[in-house]
Every structure is written in C-alpha cells, then in structure tokens.
C-alpha cells in the first residue's frame, strides 16, 4: 500500500485527483445553488444571481482546464472564482440569512442551501490544495 502512495505522489497524481474532486463537487455545488432558489418565504426570497453562477461556472471550467494543463495559474484562478462566488453568494443572501437567524417568519435553511455553501468552501480548498504538485522527484 505504501508503494502505491509513493508512486502516486512521485507521478503527481494526487494533484489530478484533488482537481478532479473539485471539478465534480463544483458541478454539484452549482446544481445545489440552482435548486436552493426554490426556498421561498413570505418576507425574503432566495434567488439565483448571475454574480454567483458565472464565477462558479468559470471555476468549474478552470478545474477542467487544470486537469488537462496542470498549470498552477489555472488552479489559482479556479480558487479565486470559487472564493468570489462564495463571497457574492453571502452578500446576495445576507437578508435571508439574517431572517433565518432572527427567526422573523420561521424560515429555515434547506438542505440544498447548506450544501451549496459547504461545497463552495470545499471546492475552494481542494483547488488550493491541488496547486501543490506533491511530486517527490522535484524536491
């Protein structure tokens, strides 16, 4: 088992795996974000914003390009886009988040709503970790 991990680290495959996981989870985060717009209340609505969708789609495409090209700038771009989509999501949803925490009209966070938030964070972290090559032969 140790030989397998050493060989994988030597070939730099760990970076590929992390980037592929970020790509797949980014697609799931996008779907969860689109589904989370169905959570509607009387006072506030969750809504889909192009300011969140566009950076999220660009990040997923950058992860796909990062698998092919294995260039660190592409992976940094994917991280930056995931981070931008997360920040704009928080700014767009601040009214709904405050509404839920204050208990104004009895709303709660749906599963897709929480999943989109968590997956955007996970994708940003995976994109950042995939920048390191994990290649022992270059050390």
């Amino acid at each position: 088992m140790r030989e397998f991990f050493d060989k994988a680290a030597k070939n730099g495959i760990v970076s590929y795996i992390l980037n592929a996981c970020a790509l797949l989870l980014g697609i799931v985060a996008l779907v969860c974000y689109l589904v989370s717009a169905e959570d509607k209340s009387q006072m506030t609505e969750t809504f889909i914003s192009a300011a969140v969708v566009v950076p999220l789609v660009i990040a997923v495409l950058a992860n796909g390009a990062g698998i092919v090209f294995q260039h660190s700038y592409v992976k940094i771009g994917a991280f930056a886009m995931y981070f931008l989509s997360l920040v704009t999501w928080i700014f767009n949803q601040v009214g709904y988040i405050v509404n839920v925490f204050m208990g104004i009209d009895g709303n709660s966070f749906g599963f897709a709503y929480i999943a989109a938030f968590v997956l955007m964070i996970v994708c940003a972290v995976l994109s950042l970790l995939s920048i390191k090559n994990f290649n022992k032969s270059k050390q």
Side-chain angles (χ1 to χ4, degrees):
M1 185 63 84
R2 177 80 176 153
E3 294 174 8
F4 172 75
F5 288 120
D6 287 341
K7 191 178 285 188
K10 194 176 216 181
N11 294 333
I13 197 158
V14 175
S15 180
Y16 284 106
I17 292 171
L18 291 174
N19 207 14
C21 288
L23 172 71
L24 294 175
L25 291 177
I27 293 170
V28 174
L30 180 62
V31 170
C32 285
Y33 175 71
L34 296 175
V35 169
S36 72
E38 297 299 321
D39 299 333
K40 304 226 187 254
S41 71
Q42 295 170 358
M43 293 183 67
T44 57
E45 294 183 357
T46 60
F47 56 91
I48 295 176
S49 172
V52 178
V53 173
V54 171
L56 198 52
V57 169
I58 291 172
V60 169
L61 293 175
N63 278 131
I67 291 174
V68 175
F69 295 114
Q70 282 293 315
H71 198 273
S72 63
Y73 289 144
V74 174
K75 296 174 186 178
I76 291 171
F79 165 74
M81 289 295 107
Y82 280 124
F83 185 74
L84 177 65
S85 65
L86 179 67
V87 170
T88 55
W89 179 82
I90 290 171
F91 283 142
N92 285 338
Q93 299 297 319
V94 72
Y96 185 74
I97 293 168
V98 168
N99 184 6
V100 170
F101 283 136
M102 295 299 291
I104 294 173
D105 60 357
N107 280 336
S108 63
F109 296 125
F111 175 76
Y113 198 84
I114 294 170
F117 176 71
V118 170
L119 286 174
M120 282 188 235
I121 293 172
V122 168
C123 289
V125 169
L126 287 175
S127 294
L128 197 58
L129 287 176
S130 71
I131 293 170
K132 183 165 171 44
N133 196 10
F134 295 103
N135 194 344
K136 289 185 178 181
S137 64
K138 290 186 178 181
Q139 292 180 354

